[in-house]
Amino acid sequence: KQQKAKERFNMLVYFICTGNTCRSPMAAALYYKHLNDNGTNYVQVESGGLAAYEGDKVSDNAVEACKELNVDISNHIAHRLRGKDLIRGNFFVVMEPVHRQILVEAGVDPDQVYVLGGPEGIPDPYKKDAEEFRKVRDQIIASFADLDNVLFTQAKQAWKK
């Protein structure tokens, strides 16, 4: 019965930061790899920015930090989060508490918004050096176990419906 529920259930997880050129594209791609490495194929992953300039290229340092782990984000282009994205997403993973506040004020259920990296979130490496991007990448990855707990608790509740 649970296998049938898994086949029917798809979750869209939206990773969100400010400009969608550093943290959220790295987090989305790394989480997608994490899910695939663990055999989870019913979660879709996308990213967007609250103040993104549509079409901006991803940061070179973000590309390099991910490439070191065999994750290619070089073709990512920035996407500004829009109302339709809020409707499509089942769960929103934000990089800072202020991002959470903005989504909740826009009407997103607070239970559907998760601050990656704990109460402080993930620091913005924008315009910083490659080493800072590696630190942020490693913080993102270290946060996946907690994110899995939250996401898969929600998934189990949805399967019971």
Side-chain angles (χ1 to χ4, degrees):
K1 184 176 178 178
Q2 250 191 352
Q3 184 60 36
K4 289 259 188 228
K6 281 184 185 180
E7 290 169 8
R8 284 193 316 265
F9 182 76
N10 274 319
M11 178 183 278
L12 172 58
V13 179
Y14 236 109
F15 285 84
I16 298 168
C17 67
T18 305
N20 194 225
T21 59
C22 301
R23 295 172 290 177
S24 60
M26 288 193 332
L30 292 165
Y31 195 62
Y32 184 75
K33 180 184 184 322
H34 166 79
L35 291 170
N36 281 325
D37 289 351
N38 290 297
T40 303
N41 59 5
Y42 55 90
V43 178
Q44 294 175 287
V45 178
E46 293 186 22
S47 72
L50 293 172
Y53 289 103
E54 201 73 39
D56 271 2
K57 293 186 71 114
V58 68
S59 162
D60 289 340
N61 283 334
V63 170
E64 286 305 312
C66 287
K67 186 188 268 186
E68 291 172 2
L69 300 179
N70 297 315
V71 174
D72 183 6
I73 62 170
S74 61
N75 291 325
H76 174 80
I77 51 173
H79 169 70
R80 180 178 299 185
L81 199 68
R82 299 197 181 350
K84 65 182 178 183
D85 300 318
L86 299 179
I87 294 166
R88 287 180 53 232
N90 300 99
F91 199 76
F92 302 91
V93 180
V94 298
M95 301 298 134
E96 297 176 36
V98 69
H99 299 147
R100 183 180 193 284
Q101 179 183 344
I102 291 167
L103 291 181
V104 170
E105 287 175 2
V108 176
D109 180 344
D111 290 339
Q112 289 180 268
V113 186
Y114 176 80
V115 179
L116 194 67
E120 300 298 313
I122 302 290
D124 193 351
Y126 182 67
K127 292 196 174 187
K128 297 206 171 122
D129 66 17
E131 187 55 36
E132 205 55 40
F133 274 80
R134 283 186 197 98
K135 286 180 190 172
V136 166
R137 175 202 63 202
D138 294 346
Q139 277 184 278
I140 288 168
I141 293 168
S143 301
F144 287 165
D146 288 336
L147 175 58
D148 284 348
N149 275 340
V150 172
L151 273 183
F152 297 122
T153 297
Q154 282 209 353
K156 285 176 189 170
Q157 290 169 351
W159 291 335
K160 291 177 184 175
K161 293 181 182 177

